[in-house]
């Protein structure tokens, strides 16, 4: 797989964290569909805003925000099996020269 794909990159970050320490600029991330049960549990624990990034999207295409598992299933039930990542939304993201960027 290509490390530039959202799911593969997220998996690599999770594997590296125990060896390199936490990455303060990397938000809480769940890889779908594999981690859907863990995400649903986390969403039920504390109210937060989550950003859903489909695997097949780029440059913001297909990205949307949810606040609960109910919202997630209502907006993305057909797409959840296709894969992607869900991350805790960062109100103040890391900026490069004052601009948002992606990897």
């Amino acid at each position: 797989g290509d490390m530039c794909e959202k799911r593969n990159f997220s998996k690599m970050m999770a594997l590296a964290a125990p060896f390199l320490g936490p990455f303060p600029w990397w938000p809480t991330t769940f890889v779908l569909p594999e981690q859907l049960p863990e995400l649903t549990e986390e969403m039920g624990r504390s109210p937060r805003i989550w950003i859903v990034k489909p695997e097949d999207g780029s440059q913001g295409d297909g990205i949307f925000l949810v606040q609960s598992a109910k919202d997630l299933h209502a907006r993305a039930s057909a797409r959840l099996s296709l894969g992607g990542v869900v991350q805790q939304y960062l109100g103040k993201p890391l900026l490069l020269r004052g601009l948002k960027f992606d990897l």
Side-chain angles (χ1 to χ4, degrees):
D2 186 1
M3 189 166 62
C4 294
E5 293 176 351
K6 294 173 189 77
R7 291 166 27 95
N8 290 338
F9 188 78
S10 296
K11 289 176 185 179
M12 186 267 314
M13 292 295 292
L15 290 172
F19 301 103
L20 302 175
F23 303 103
W25 46 268
W26 185 252
T28 302
T29 302
F30 295 89
V31 177
L32 298 181
E34 297 95 316
Q35 294 181 310
L36 183 57
E38 294 92 337
L39 171 62
T40 300
E41 184 178 322
E42 183 66 27
M43 287 178 152
R45 243 184 285 207
S46 62
R48 292 187 239 172
I49 297 174
W50 298 88
I51 186 165
V52 182
K53 302 175 181 182
E55 183 63 48
D56 60 353
S58 65
Q59 299 178 337
D61 183 43
I63 291 175
F64 58 93
L65 302 177
V66 296
Q67 292 184 324
S68 68
K70 183 179 176 182
D71 290 345
L72 178 64
H73 289 289
R75 301 258 339 249
S77 60
R79 296 189 86 175
L80 291 177
S81 63
L82 298 177
V85 297
V86 178
Q87 295 177 311
Q88 183 178 350
Y89 180 78
L90 299 179
K92 294 183 179 184
L94 180 65
L95 302 175
L96 184 62
R97 295 186 181 157
L99 301 171
K100 289 177 74 174
F101 66 98
D102 63 12
L103 300 173

